[in-house]
Amino acid sequence: MAYAMQQLINGISLGMIYGLIAVGYTMVYGIIGMINFAHGDVFMIGAFIALITLLLLQMGGLMDGPAAILLVLLVSMVITALYGWSVERVAYRPLRGSFRLAPLISAIGISIVLQNYVQVSQGARPKPIENLLPGGIEVMRDGPFVVQFSYIQMLIIALTLGVLAAFTLLVTRTPLGRAMRACEQDRKMASLLGIDTDRTISLTFVIGAALAAVAGSMYLLRYGVIDFYIGFLAGVKAFTAAVLGGIGSLPGAVLGGLLIGLIETFWSAYFSVQYKDVAAFSILVLTLIFLPTGLLGRQEVEKV
């Protein structure tokens, strides 16, 4: 029981990270109907920016602990958002009126460019850091085994829930959110009604990149090591989470992230860790066989 409880805590914290990345996928798909395959590498960029900022703060002896984590998050979000804006301007906007495969190929190209850019500039070796928030709360004890809810895991869950709540308010209660929902329903009609669709799409990429930066920073703090290739694996799993929950559904993206995180963690704990990805993708295949639109996806109605 205690071992299962520990895996549940681990799976929820990992699923929150996947959910944050998956929200970026589902936002872009909801507005322009295409998958941003460079989004996983934007997550990786956010993690490296957080690492560089943290090392600079430690070298300068400026601050440490929670204050440093807050500043690292803000810097990572701002700079990564600029990367997200650049991806939209370079890979998507010039090809928006082209055939559907063109932006997809362009996004894959941007993904490869970002990977190699980080590999050349930061090196191919993994980059470790020390734990900034050691310790945690003892949840329960079963003989020598102690179930611990670490401070980093608390931070990941609380921060993710806070960011998602703020993002939900943005989408549902602000003029930008109304513009985003209008573009999702009918981009051409939204443009005819005076909505700046280019600006709305650019801001969608910016917000998605900022959420990916939060996920990248939390990944760095939780696991303590990153490399230039983490964006590919995390991006594929987050895309799987978005499809599992229902591509285009924001609650579905978070639910899918939690499910993927839990499946991966429990499979690693009780079965072979080498096949954890096979287990997650198998669940995705089974779900799509019986629920083609995902768990919370809506069936699209073609108007004639």
Side-chain angles (χ1 to χ4, degrees), residues 226-240:
I226 57 173
D227 58 47
F228 74 97
Y229 202 64
I230 62 168
F232 175 77
L233 292 176
V236 169
K237 291 175 184 176
F239 173 65
T240 303

Side-chain angles (χ1 to χ4, degrees), residues 155-274:
L155 177 64
I156 290 173
I157 295 173
L159 187 62
T160 301
L161 292 177
V163 167
L164 291 175
F167 177 69
T168 301
L169 289 176
L170 173 72
V171 172
T172 57
R173 301 292 179 87
T174 65
L176 174 60
R178 287 192 292 271
M180 291 168 65
R181 285 181 280 130
C183 290
E184 178 182 2
Q185 293 177 8
D186 192 329
R187 195 163 72 242
K188 185 177 291 186
M189 181 57 70
S191 178
L192 291 173
L193 293 175
I195 294 175
D196 189 344
T197 55
D198 286 340
R199 173 179 174 273
T200 303
I201 292 171
S202 292
L203 288 176
T204 301
F205 274 82
V206 165
I207 295 170
L211 294 177
V214 175
S217 302
M218 292 299 99
Y219 185 94
L220 172 68
L221 295 175
R222 173 71 179 93
Y223 296 102
V225 61
I226 57 173
D227 58 47
F228 74 97
Y229 202 64
I230 62 168
F232 175 77
L233 292 176
V236 169
K237 291 175 184 176
F239 173 65
T240 303
V243 175
L244 178 62
I247 193 73
S249 168
L250 296 178
V254 180
L255 175 62
L258 284 173
L259 289 176
I260 293 295
L262 289 170
I263 292 169
E264 184 176 318
T265 302
F266 275 96
W267 187 276
S268 301
Y270 291 100
F271 303 100
S272 175
V273 69
Q274 287 87 355

